[in-house]
Amino acid sequence: MTPPVLANDTIETLHAQLTRAARQESPIEEILAQILATWAYGKGVLPEWLGLGELEFRRMLQHHFPTLEPRTLTRAEHPPKAEHQEEMADLRKLLLKNRSHITDSEHWLADILVSGCMGSDHLWQDLGLWNRAELTKLMEDYFTPLATLNTKNMKWKKFLYKRLCETEGIYTCRAPSCEACADYANCFGPEE
């Protein structure tokens, strides 16, 4: 697990500070530390307050990083919150319906994931995670019912939208199975 390479290692330094401030009672804090460190330096696509709103953002910080000064994380400019409210609500509903129920923090994770889905890159990159394996672990740990359905290593953002469409009875694949679809390589396999 290596952070993006920067000339002055600022993301790595902030990540270490977040790790020291974490309650360290849950693996979720490592994932949040990566997201927060990357976001604080303007990387990824997450909007102000990670898309949680200021009050929930501060609650999340207090819960997982109680000794961290919130001003530490507000240096970078962030994009405005996405305007696809109906789409975001549907994604949030899908995630919450499929949460693992092991922590109340899954509500925050769902909102952060939804905000990341509004970006145009791979979801792990849009979230500011350092590799796809971290996103896979997040999905397996906190959204287990969804993760178990991704049996063919479909890219997570495409997978979430595919599940959303299937839930609504909309099937967009041009072939009767994904394996025969002309876009198979775009949806499945490694992400670089």
Side-chain angles (χ1 to χ4, degrees):
M1 142 179 42
T2 311
V5 177
L6 295 177
N8 57 4
D9 290 329
T10 54
I11 291 175
E12 188 174 63
T13 302
L14 180 55
H15 177 264
Q17 184 180 355
L18 284 158
T19 300
R20 286 190 301 274
R23 286 181 19 200
Q24 299 180 353
E25 295 177 13
S26 168
I28 195 174
E29 290 160 357
E30 170 56 31
I31 289 172
L32 288 172
Q34 285 183 33
I35 291 170
L36 286 164
T38 306
W39 170 82
Y41 284 95
K43 307 295 181 191
V45 300
L46 295 176
E48 188 172 35
W49 314 117
L50 301 180
L52 298 173
E54 184 176 3
L55 180 61
E56 287 304 308
F57 178 81
R58 292 186 185 283
R59 285 182 179 158
M60 183 268 301
L61 281 184
Q62 181 60 39
H63 181 75
H64 288 290
F65 306 97
T67 62
L68 184 74
E69 174 57 46
R71 279 181 270 146
T72 305
L73 302 173
T74 57
R75 290 180 273 180
E77 298 245 347
H78 300 286
K81 189 168 182 173
E83 296 184 18
H84 306 285
Q85 295 302 316
E86 185 175 327
E87 176 183 333
M88 292 175 79
D90 290 343
L91 280 169
R92 185 177 195 275
K93 190 184 308 180
L94 174 70
L95 287 163
L96 292 177
K97 182 179 176 186
N98 289 281
R99 55 187 286 243
S100 300
H101 297 282
I102 58 174
T103 175
D104 289 337
S105 297
E106 290 163 354
H107 290 281
W108 291 318
L109 283 177
D111 288 336
I112 293 167
L113 282 165
V114 167
S115 291
C117 282
M118 299 300 108
S120 59
D121 216 336
H122 296 300
L123 182 54
W124 66 270
Q125 293 168 320
D126 286 338
L127 290 169
L129 291 170
W130 297 345
N131 57 59
R132 185 178 188 220
E134 295 294 338
L135 176 57
T136 298
K137 180 166 178 32
L138 181 155
M139 295 300 294
E140 288 172 349
D141 290 351
Y142 303 106
F143 301 96
T144 306
L146 281 173
T148 58
L149 296 174
N150 192 2
T151 59
K152 300 207 183 216
N153 197 26
M154 187 174 208
K155 293 176 176 94
W156 285 109
K157 192 182 298 183
K158 290 181 182 285
F159 174 78
L160 290 173
Y161 276 91
K162 183 177 186 291
R163 293 298 309 159
L164 187 61
C165 288
E166 289 172 355
T167 301
E168 298 295 320
I170 302 167
Y171 298 92
T172 58
C173 190
R174 290 175 265 156
S177 72
C178 286
E179 291 81 4
C181 181
D183 288 331
Y184 183 86
N186 293 325
C187 296
F188 295 90
E191 295 176 358
E192 307 294 319

